[in-house]
Amino acid sequence: MVAAVIAAIASSLCCIAPLIYLVFGVSAAAAGLSGLSSLAWLQVPMLILSTGMILLGFWRLYLAKKPLCTGTFSRGQMLLIYWLTVPIVLAFQLYPFVLPWLLEVFE
């Protein structure tokens, strides 16, 4: 789950500058983040990786004959962590695509 969240964050790094501009207004600190657009090539591979990790977690929790090692966490705890992680990953995955639409709607 941690890897899925990290991959989702990496997939959204190229688009963080518009979000910073929107939230805090144009400032010197946000203008410095404009160089992150050079990471746009990472977006698709990281989207695929984070989606794959979430699907692997689902498969291991629900479909595998021998789920995860339950030595540290109980199955209930693992399910709670999984379902708390999924919306976080989806938020990071989708905001680069939803943000332009929201900017058009609220202008």
Side-chain angles (χ1 to χ4, degrees):
M1 295 295 94
V2 171
V5 171
I6 291 171
I9 291 171
S11 74
S12 65
L13 278 179
C14 67
C15 308
I16 195 95
L19 181 64
I20 299 295
Y21 291 147
L22 178 68
V23 173
F24 298 112
V26 178
S27 67
L33 292 174
S34 63
L36 291 177
S37 62
S38 64
L39 298 174
W41 65 274
L42 280 175
Q43 187 172 15
V44 172
M46 291 299 130
L47 283 172
I48 293 169
L49 181 64
S50 61
T51 302
M53 295 283 184
I54 288 294
L55 292 174
L56 178 66
F58 183 85
W59 178 77
R60 293 288 295 190
L61 285 170
Y62 289 103
L63 304 174
K65 290 182 181 177
K66 182 181 179 192
L68 298 168
C69 176
T70 58
T72 306
F73 297 108
S74 69
R75 179 169 165 74
Q77 290 172 326
M78 287 188 286
L79 287 171
L80 177 67
I81 292 169
Y82 178 79
W83 288 112
L84 288 175
T85 305
V86 168
I88 294 169
V89 169
L90 287 175
F92 277 109
Q93 283 182 336
L94 296 177
Y95 101 82
F97 305 106
V98 175
L99 184 64
W101 176 76
L102 286 175
L103 290 174
E104 285 181 16
V105 169
F106 293 113
E107 280 186 351

